[in-house]
Amino acid sequence: MTGVKGWYVLVLIFKYWAESKKSWTKNNDTSLLVPYETLVNDKYLKIYKIQGRINYVATIKIQGFNISLLSANQQNLKIQQFHDLFKYCIFQ
C-alpha cells in the first residue's frame, strides 16, 4: 500500500514523544559492564588488569531494523535467512 511507510514513521514519532522517559542510571545496573581503556581498529577493546597485564576483548556490532519497512521480497529474504540460521544449528 502506498504511504504506509510515511504513516508508520509518524506513528513511531508520536509513540516516542508520548511515552515517559526513564533515566539510565536510576533503573539499570551497570556493574557488569566491562571498563575499557581504548578501542583498537573498531574491533577490540584494550583492557588493563590489576597485575599490569593488557588484555584484548573482541567486540561485535549489533544493528536492528524494522522488517515492516522493507519491501515484500526483502521481507521474505530476511525471514528465510532467519529460518536457515536455526535450521542448520544443532540443539540438544
Side-chain angles (χ1 to χ4, degrees):
M1 299 177 73
T2 59
V4 172
K5 293 179 185 178
W7 283 108
Y8 187 69
V9 170
L10 291 175
V11 168
L12 288 178
I13 290 172
F14 175 75
K15 285 172 66 175
Y16 174 77
W17 289 108
E19 70 182 8
S20 64
K21 309 295 188 285
K22 296 180 181 176
S23 174
W24 172 264
T25 57
K26 291 181 183 176
N27 298 325
N28 295 333
D29 183 21
T30 59
S31 63
L32 296 177
L33 295 177
V34 178
Y36 66 94
E37 183 69 25
T38 58
L39 182 64
V40 180
N41 294 332
D42 293 331
K43 294 182 182 180
Y44 302 101
L45 296 176
K46 186 176 183 181
I47 299 173
Y48 289 102
K49 292 290 184 179
I50 295 174
Q51 291 85 9
R53 297 184 311 176
I54 298 174
N55 291 334
Y56 293 94
V57 177
T59 60
I60 59 172
K61 182 178 181 180
I62 299 174
Q63 181 178 358
F65 62 93
N66 189 345
I67 196 168
S68 66
L69 296 177
L70 301 175
S71 68
N73 292 335
Q74 290 175 336
Q75 287 180 11
N76 288 334
L77 178 65
K78 294 293 183 185
I79 291 172
Q80 187 62 39
Q81 289 173 346
F82 187 70
H83 176 264
D84 291 343
L85 172 73
F86 290 107
K87 181 177 168 182
Y88 297 113
C89 291
I90 299 172
F91 295 109
Q92 295 180 350

